[in-house]
Amino acid sequence: MRVAELTPPQLRRRLAGAGLRLRTGPVVSNVRSTLSEVVDGIALHYAEHIVEPDEAFADFHFSIDRPRGPRQWFKSQVLFRFDGEVHFNPLPGDQGFPMMEWGLNWCITGVCHQYLTLHAAVVERGGRALILPAPSGSGKSTLCAGLVFRGWRLLSDELTLIQPDTGDVVPLPRPVSLKNASIDVLRGFEPSARFGRIVHETIKGRVGHFQPLAEHVRRERETARPGWIVLPRYVAGAPARLEPLSKGRAFMSLIENAFNYNIHGARGFDILADLVERCDCYSFSYSSLDEAAALFARIGSAGPGGRP
Amino acid sequence: MERRADPRLAERDDGLKARSSDPSRFFVPAAGLRLRQWDDELVVYDARQARTHLLDAGAADVLQCLLQSPTALSLAELAQALLADPAGQAEALTDDERAGLAACVDELSRLGLVEPQRPS
């Protein structure tokens, strides 16, 4: 069953009761919440995601709700609880859905060490993954958002999961998070993008999520072979520019953007070194999403090893 | 965790002359290094310290030379091994070259990739 098959009252009851067993790629979360913005956010953004049976194993159990006491209504706040425990400071009351997304990222990066996890957006075309590792604020999510509306399949806008045995990328298609001016940039680039409620004055500024494309969610079990590593950087006013990057530099960038490289030890070194060897490596600067999309369309058509 | 090092960036100081004439011999501790070479770059994982380093061509050559040597090498022997032609003849190092090699070994030592073996 998919989330969209639940009526709004059914979805509300599940989230308010024992929880909704929501599958996102390889992980299942048991989500509980009585907050309307969380219920609405799940109904919109996770419409095509699978609901696992109540008795299915859940990797994570978390809730997003109001704290007890006066903060329920006085300058209201929201709390993310993991296994019933509070691990973060509360956020202002309308930030329940972003908090769920950030909380789920935290769960995956902190627990799923069966993968080597990179702070990187990743999209796929022709079976090959384009990995975009970068810290926050570099424009990777904006670039990823543009590419998924121009023929690339969304694997993740935030977390790249590398399967250690095969070196392949495991999809984790979820709502794509954009911040501040990027929200309007994408609306101008692709008017069909379905944004949920825009949340203002978060720690990251104005935050909006848009719904992943249904086809991308339905292909969430299709892994992809690594094809390209591209370090993106938004530079105001700059033309789209792709420059070859040495494999050594690309390797060190992967380490800097890895969440659990240390946990994997020497095997982590081998996994990332193998990943780099399988990829064409570039640095990329841009300001126009149209120019970027056109350039990556050529790369995708040529395939790894081809001239962009 | 220190992850990046470029021994080319090691700065000279007044102590280099003294170090370059230091009778120490150097070796690479046998266990725990993983290497991957791409063009003139070498990435090294040091399992003993759980650190990863990116070395340029010069530092990579020095490390590989010490790794391949069955015994610890002095700076003079290292220079001989690095510069020798197929007939085993090596040109004499200039003072600057000797100082550069000493700085490189010094930096690799600081990173824990190379260790000095003091004369007994």
Side-chain angles (χ1 to χ4, degrees):
Chain A
M1 184 202 303
R2 297 184 186 273
V3 170
E5 294 171 47
L6 294 170
T7 64
Q10 285 173 330
L11 179 60
R12 227 174 5 256
R13 273 201 300 276
R14 285 211 187 202
L15 285 164
L20 178 79
R21 303 236 160 176
L22 183 64
R23 172 170 289 283
T24 49
V27 300
V28 176
S29 304
N30 190 68
V31 190
R32 298 175 62 212
S33 183
T34 57
L35 302 178
S36 62
E37 62 266 31
V38 174
V39 178
D40 293 347
I42 289 174
L44 172 65
H45 295 301
Y46 287 97
E48 295 299 325
H49 285 73
I50 289 172
V51 177
E52 296 288 354
D54 288 347
E55 63 276 14
F57 175 81
D59 298 271
F60 313 123
H61 294 256
F62 58 78
S63 65
I64 310 95
D65 266 313
R66 303 260 182 253
R68 298 184 185 86
R71 285 297 193 185
Q72 291 177 68
W73 65 86
F74 178 70
K75 291 185 179 175
S76 73
Q77 294 179 328
V78 287
L79 278 179
F80 180 90
R81 286 191 176 87
F82 177 72
D83 282 345
E85 299 289 328
V86 175
H87 295 269
F88 306 105
N89 289 332
L91 292 180
D94 63 345
Q95 297 184 18
F97 186 75
M99 194 174 207
M100 182 184 103
E101 290 297 302
W102 298 332
L104 180 51
N105 288 343
W106 177 81
C107 292
I108 293 168
T109 56
V111 173
C112 293
H113 300 310
Q114 68 270 43
Y115 305 109
L116 201 154
T117 307
L118 303 173
H119 189 198
V122 58
V123 293
E124 172 269 342
R125 189 161 166 172
R128 305 304 290 265
L130 162 62
I131 300 170
L132 303 164
S136 295
S138 56
K140 74 174 182 307
S141 288
T142 313
L143 178 59
C144 169
L147 295 181
V148 299
F149 287 108
R150 295 293 183 273
W152 293 80
R153 174 168 65 110
L154 175 69
L155 303 185
S156 175
D157 77 315
E158 186 74 10
L159 304 177
T160 295
L161 306 178
I162 308 296
Q163 168 68 252
D165 293 340
T166 62
D168 290 345
V169 179
V170 177
L172 186 69
R174 289 170 48 204
V176 176
S177 169
L178 294 178
K179 298 185 285 288
N180 302 312
S182 294
I183 297 169
D184 301 317
V185 166
L186 191 76
R187 279 177 164 156
F189 180 80
E190 182 55 52
S192 72
R194 290 194 68 192
F195 278 89
R197 193 180 302 180
I198 305 299
V199 182
H200 299 262
E201 296 181 10
T202 76
I203 195 168
K204 299 182 179 185
R206 194 163 60 107
V207 169
H209 291 82
F210 73 80
Q211 185 189 45
L213 300 181
E215 183 212 343
H216 299 179
V217 176
R218 288 176 180 268
R219 294 174 62 190
E220 68 180 357
R221 300 294 179 97
E222 288 180 35
T223 59
R225 286 177 296 144
W228 305 267
I229 295 166
V230 176
L231 275 53
R233 192 163 59 97
Y234 174 82
V235 180
R241 186 169 177 169
L242 191 73
E243 294 179 288
L245 180 71
S246 76
K247 288 190 185 293
R249 296 282 166 194
F251 178 86
M252 298 308 281
S253 292
L254 290 182
I255 291 178
E256 288 162 10
N257 287 287
F259 286 102
N260 57 356
Y261 172 71
N262 289 349
I263 289 173
H264 286 272
R267 189 161 189 235
F269 177 87
D270 292 338
I271 293 166
L272 289 187
D274 290 345
L275 178 68
V276 165
E277 284 187 356
R278 296 170 75 181
C279 289
D280 295 346
C281 303
Y282 299 97
S283 61
F284 176 64
S285 53
Y286 77 105
S287 60
S288 159
L289 205 45
D290 285 302
E291 283 183 19
L295 190 149
F296 281 97
R298 293 198 295 276
I299 288 179
S301 299
R307 292 180 68 84
Chain B
M1 185 181 95
E2 183 171 0
R3 289 169 163 166
R4 186 186 297 264
D6 186 345
R8 284 178 308 187
L9 303 179
E11 294 181 358
R12 297 179 177 190
D13 59 33
D14 292 335
L16 272 178
K17 283 272 185 179
R19 279 200 294 273
S20 64
S21 58
D22 190 313
S24 296
R25 303 170 78 83
F26 298 92
F27 70 103
V28 177
L33 287 191
R34 286 178 116 84
L35 311 174
R36 202 68 72 99
Q37 180 118 29
W38 296 295
D39 299 324
D40 59 355
E41 292 176 324
L42 180 73
V43 288
V44 183
Y45 179 75
D46 180 357
R48 295 183 312 153
Q49 305 184 75
R51 285 183 174 181
T52 306
H53 307 281
L54 171 62
L55 305 184
D56 70 3
D61 284 350
V62 169
L63 186 70
Q64 297 272 30
C65 191
L66 287 169
L67 265 171
Q68 287 159 15
S69 171
T71 59
L73 300 177
S74 67
L75 284 181
E77 291 165 339
L78 182 56
Q80 172 84 18
L82 285 166
L83 301 176
D85 61 24
Q89 300 297 310
E91 294 177 22
L93 289 181
T94 65
D95 284 351
D96 279 354
E97 288 166 341
R98 191 175 298 112
L101 178 61
C104 180
V105 171
D106 199 45
E107 181 67 3
L108 290 172
S109 299
R110 191 186 67 75
L111 296 174
L113 296 174
V114 164
E115 289 185 5
Q117 182 186 64
R118 300 281 169 190
S120 53

